[in-house]
Amino acid sequence: GDAEHPERLASALEEIDVRSTMCVPLIARRRTLGAVLFVGAESGRRFDEGDLRLAEELAARAAVAVDNSRLFFEAEHRAEAARALDSIADAVFLVDGTGAIRIWNAAARTITGLAGEEVRGRPARDVFSGWSEIATVAGAVPHTVPVTVDGRELWISISGVASSEGTAYAFRDVTADRRLDRLKSDFVATVSHELRTPLAAVYGAAMTLAGRDFGDRDDIRRELVQQIADQAERLSAIVDDILLVGRIESGGLTLEPARVDPLEVSRAAVDAARIRAGEAP
């Protein structure tokens, strides 16, 4: 109030006919938090050395109370912030200017398997393999990078924001997503191979029919036509398998057990291989 505006304070002191004043600082932990002003007016009393010592003692006690109140508020605020960090799904940790980890939330513990007491105070490079590369790419936009943490290989999507206290990083475990992407790539490669095999058989049988004169050998023609039909059926089965994958992902899969004749499966595979080799059935 008036302490922030000296001219108003001086005017107020003149109005109450001040006879004596004392001003003592509020000091706690070697920091000045403020000051206390004592004023003697109507009583006509003038403050002496004893009054000053008493005022200094009162100011010291008041400073401790104010400082404790501020410390309690800061501790409460930090506790609330810690609870908030532990309630989010993303892993969050803070690396200070020396490169040491200072904050490590519950999600970081869950993803890495490392408790906060195991990593706080340790250099980030000792916790994450390849930390220099991670720190370079981890900006405001998340980047996906491979890391090794406590002997475990992980893929994480990580971002970082710099502040006066260091750099705060947030990351998610995308190992399962990377594994799924790899499975999808393998699936596409497998499907491509499986489609190519019966297509080659159909093509070979069709070219044999078109390019050779079998005379009265209707049995050979029937065999080649049957081969085309069998491989076309196989192509249809592969397409059904692809659609089946879609139903699995959507949760609409229904299992129907059926008997399979291994002899017929083997015979179809041999016939397809013979056609690819250019042999007549």
Side-chain angles (χ1 to χ4, degrees), residues 41-58:
E42 291 87 349
S43 65
R45 179 179 176 182
R46 294 183 178 275
F47 299 123
D48 56 21
E49 290 295 328
D51 295 323
L52 179 59
R53 286 193 297 271
L54 177 60
E56 290 174 340
E57 178 65 23
L58 290 174

Side-chain angles (χ1 to χ4, degrees), residues 67-89:
D67 190 49
N68 286 342
S69 177
R70 288 185 174 182
L71 290 175
F72 177 79
F73 176 79
E74 291 176 2
E76 190 175 51
H77 179 71
R78 290 178 180 177
E80 290 177 354
R83 286 193 295 270
L85 282 177
D86 284 341
S87 67
I88 62 177

Side-chain angles (χ1 to χ4, degrees), residues 68-273:
N68 286 342
S69 177
R70 288 185 174 182
L71 290 175
F72 177 79
F73 176 79
E74 291 176 2
E76 190 175 51
H77 179 71
R78 290 178 180 177
E80 290 177 354
R83 286 193 295 270
L85 282 177
D86 284 341
S87 67
I88 62 177
D90 285 358
V92 177
F93 64 100
L94 176 69
V95 178
D96 65 17
T98 68
I101 295 175
R102 295 303 175 192
I103 294 176
W104 189 261
N105 75 340
R109 179 178 67 245
T110 300
I111 293 173
T112 64
L114 297 175
E117 54 269 19
E118 296 181 74
V119 298
R120 291 191 188 99
R122 289 176 57 188
R125 65 176 179 273
D126 292 349
V127 178
F128 296 93
S129 66
W131 172 251
S132 57
E133 179 182 353
I134 297 172
T136 300
V137 302
V141 178
H143 281 74
T144 300
V145 293
V147 297
T148 301
V149 181
D150 198 28
R152 295 175 56 211
E153 294 183 356
L154 300 171
W155 282 87
I156 61 174
S157 177
I158 187 169
S159 59
V161 178
S163 68
S164 58
E165 297 183 1
T167 303
Y169 295 93
F171 68 90
R172 293 184 177 183
D173 183 4
V174 294
T175 306
D177 295 338
R178 294 286 298 193
R179 188 178 296 116
L180 180 59
D181 289 342
R182 187 176 304 157
L183 289 174
K184 288 181 177 179
S185 297
D186 293 344
F187 174 75
V188 170
T190 301
V191 168
S192 299
H193 174 74
E194 291 296 326
L195 288 173
R196 191 178 296 114
T197 300
L199 282 173
V202 170
Y203 178 78
M207 292 300 294
T208 302
L209 281 171
R212 293 176 60 179
D213 182 9
F214 295 101
D216 296 331
R217 296 295 305 274
D218 290 340
D219 58 329
I220 296 179
R221 282 193 292 270
R222 284 195 301 271
E223 193 71 30
L224 289 170
V225 171
Q226 185 61 46
Q227 181 67 40
I228 293 173
D230 291 343
Q231 295 305 315
E233 184 178 357
R234 183 179 175 187
L235 284 170
S236 177
I238 293 173
V239 172
D240 287 342
D241 288 342
I242 296 173
L243 296 176
L244 177 62
V245 172
R247 290 198 296 272
I248 291 174
E249 291 185 343
S250 65
L253 174 65
T254 301
L255 297 178
E256 297 180 359
R259 293 182 179 275
V260 177
D261 185 349
L263 183 60
E264 291 298 328
V265 173
S266 301
R267 182 180 292 113
V270 171
D271 290 345

